[in-house]
Amino acid sequence: MTRGSLLVDHIGELVTNDGRDGDPLGVRRDAALLIEDGQVAWTGPARHAPAADRRIDAGGAAVLPGFVDSHAHLVFAGDRAAEFAARMAGERYTGGGIRTTVGATRAASDDDLRATVGRLRAEMLRQGTTTVEIKSGYGLNVTDEARSLRIAAEFTDDTTFLGAHVVPAEYADRPDDYVGLVCGPMLAAAAPYARWIDVFCERGAFDADHARAILACGQAAGLGVRLHANQLGPGPGVQLGVELGAASVDHCTHLTDADVDALAGSDTVATLLPGAEFSTRSPYPDARRLLDAGVTVALATDCNPGSSYTSSMPFCVALAVREMRMTPAEAVWAATAGGAAALRRTDVGRLTPGARADLIILDAPSHLHLAYRPGVPLIRQVLHNGVPR
Ligand code: NIG
Ligand code: FE
């Protein structure tokens, strides 16, 4: 018996994501899980459970890995509820509202921004998210991009420099100069706080040439590549991402057969963000088509004040099942192991020995209930690094 060990016992259904026996979720029934030093030390049948210092009785409930939300824009000020209301009354989403949030974010104090990230991070944790990626992208000048990332880095290791979110108003008639700023002084100020670089590659934001130039600078500075691609219409983003070895291309709402083929032949993850289609009343991406082609799919919230102001991975799982033709098992995998793959992380998204002890105890006997009982608070308890939260 190790000091400080914790046994989660009487688990009705344990989702390990170990992929054994052709079951991606690696479900074990009547199981137990031992935690030592913040990591999973052992899993197995409850009747073989080792002794431990402390014990949590799961009471026959389902236990699964904490959600890995690999795409979130949490550093911002203000909200855009009126823009949402206008959309629900028939207006189209164009991304034009990003500049509204940029104005509010630049005017906010560090403490205000930190409080917003903290509030949303806590909201996520209550809903089972134990790993989150956080992007900049509402500063769009050297000072405000760097401080956005500095604040994001207080909450996660997976910080992403999104200076190329849109061209800010003051550069509207000289986008080449803005790309020069992003690749030069802005990247230099952001890189110490960032693990990733991202570009919104879309009509009205950045074209393929600008996106390629910016991502190449980021790679040269040691950052990994991810992309917002093919959200509002077909475009070059997905294939550019594959060409550059991106960890993930995100949105993937409008794909050609060539885009799907490119993804299927790569190790780039397709991250789907159904909260964005929900909140912009747009057609959902076709997850079934990607899965059937052999593409690795992740689900994330895209939490941001414009296109998807949800922090809830269970909501995204339910949307993915109902609207995107994913099975509940595929959606749960995509929200856990898929998110980890999108962040190139092997320490999270699974509950096997050596993994970080990030787990959810559901108020339900099975992972199926996440989609079967949409909108119901089913997260009974969350353990993060082995610590009950
Ligand atoms: O992922 N598409 C670009 N960026 C965000 C939306 C940002 C906003 O509207 O404020 C997204 O949907
Ligand atoms: Fe986004």
Side-chain angles (χ1 to χ4, degrees), residues 69-72 131-135 156 158 160 196 226 343:
D69 187 349
S70 62
H71 183 138
T131 302
V132 61
E133 179 258 21
I134 304 177
K135 301 176 195 298
T156 186
D158 280 297
T160 300
W196 302 98
R226 40 204 328 106
L343 294 173

Side-chain angles (χ1 to χ4, degrees), residues 69 71-76 120-121 123-124 132-133 135 138 273 275-276 300-312 316:
D69 187 349
H71 183 138
H73 309 245
L74 304 189
V75 193
F76 65 83
L120 292 169
R121 181 69 193 89
E123 209 174 271
M124 288 175 157
V132 61
E133 179 258 21
K135 301 176 195 298
Y138 293 116
L273 310 166
T301 61
D302 196 15
C303 183
N304 76 78
S307 66
S308 180
Y309 201 7
T310 180
S311 53
S312 171
C316 294

Side-chain angles (χ1 to χ4, degrees), residues 71 73 80 83 93 95 97-98 101 138 162 165 200 228 231 251 273 276 302 304-308:
H71 183 138
H73 309 245
R80 284 155 44 203
E83 183 191 312
Y93 175 79
I98 293 172
T101 302
Y138 293 116
L162 180 57
H165 198 180
F200 185 19
H228 282 71
Q231 175 186 7
H251 285 290
L273 310 166
D302 196 15
N304 76 78
S307 66
S308 180

Side-chain angles (χ1 to χ4, degrees), residues 4-387:
S5 59
L6 171 62
L7 185 73
V8 184
D9 201 4
H10 200 193
I11 300 171
E13 177 193 274
L14 175 65
V15 173
T16 64
N17 285 345
D18 71 1
R20 280 212 322 241
D21 310 324
D23 167 21
L25 288 187
V27 169
R28 304 281 180 274
R29 313 244 169 239
D30 302 319
L33 178 148
L34 181 71
I35 298 168
E36 287 172 356
D37 300 325
Q39 294 190 342
V40 178
W42 175 90
T43 66
R47 63 186 185 282
H48 295 155
D53 288 337
R54 288 169 301 135
R55 180 171 169 273
I56 293 177
D57 184 346
V63 168
L64 53 148
F67 296 120
V68 180
D69 187 349
S70 62
H71 183 138
H73 309 245
L74 304 189
V75 193
F76 65 83
D79 78 35
R80 284 155 44 203
E83 183 191 312
F84 174 75
R87 275 201 304 276
M88 296 306 110
E91 265 178 41
R92 268 187 53 230
Y93 175 79
T94 60
I98 293 172
R99 284 182 180 170
T100 307
T101 302
V102 170
T105 303
R106 288 177 179 175
S109 69
D110 287 13
D111 282 346
D112 285 344
L113 295 177
R114 189 174 285 117
T116 296
V117 180
R119 173 178 64 81
L120 292 169
R121 181 69 193 89
E123 209 174 271
M124 288 175 157
L125 195 59
R126 285 198 296 278
Q127 295 170 96
T129 297
T130 46
T131 302
V132 61
E133 179 258 21
I134 304 177
K135 301 176 195 298
S136 66
Y138 293 116
L140 307 190
N141 60 33
V142 174
T143 309
D144 290 307
E145 282 298 303
R147 78 167 174 143
S148 296
L149 286 161
R150 185 164 36 78
I151 291 167
E154 294 172 17
F155 295 88
T156 186
D157 294 335
D158 280 297
T159 51
T160 300
F161 171 44
L162 180 57
H165 198 180
V166 289
V167 176
E170 63 273 22
Y171 280 89
D173 49 6
R174 39 193 187 112
D176 290 343
D177 289 355
Y178 186 65
V179 172
L181 179 72
V182 171
C183 287
M186 203 186 283
L187 174 62
Y193 307 107
R195 178 170 182 227
W196 302 98
I197 186 163
D198 191 345
V199 173
F200 185 19
C201 183
E202 196 83 35
R203 193 186 295 274
F206 295 87
D207 65 19
D209 290 342
H210 281 160
R212 184 184 283 104
I214 292 163
L215 295 170
C217 293
Q219 277 181 317
L223 305 184
V225 169
R226 40 204 328 106
L227 233 78
H228 282 71
N230 304 53
Q231 175 186 7
L232 304 177
V238 163
Q239 298 200 45
L240 176 64
V242 170
E243 172 194 322
L244 295 176
S248 177
V249 288
D250 296 28
H251 285 290
C252 293
T253 310
H254 298 271
L255 299 183
T256 63
D257 288 345
D259 295 331
V260 176
D261 289 348
L263 284 167
S266 76
D267 63 358
T268 297
V269 173
T271 299
L272 308 182
L273 310 166
E277 279 74 34
F278 178 90
S279 300
T280 59
R281 193 171 272 153
S282 304
Y284 289 89
D286 188 349
R288 185 79 266 134
R289 180 181 177 209
L290 289 161
L291 289 162
D292 289 348
V295 177
T296 302
V297 170
L299 287 170
T301 61
D302 196 15
C303 183
N304 76 78
S307 66
S308 180
Y309 201 7
T310 180
S311 53
S312 171
M313 290 293 279
F315 175 60
C316 294
V317 166
L319 285 181
V321 171
R322 174 62 182 81
E323 305 288 346
M324 290 156 52
R325 299 198 292 150
M326 294 177 82
T327 67
E330 286 167 339
V332 166
W333 191 93
T336 52
L343 294 173
R344 301 252 160 106
R345 300 264 305 248
T346 55
D347 58 331
V348 295
R350 63 187 174 93
L351 289 174
T352 53
R356 207 164 80 180
D358 288 351
L359 55 95
I360 298 167
I361 304 175
L362 283 187
D363 243 333
S366 155
H367 68 279
L368 294 172
H369 283 232
L370 287 168
Y372 174 46
R373 307 203 63 215
V376 178
L378 292 179
I379 311 299
R380 181 193 299 167
Q381 188 168 23
V382 179
L383 274 69
H384 190 214
N385 280 314
V387 179

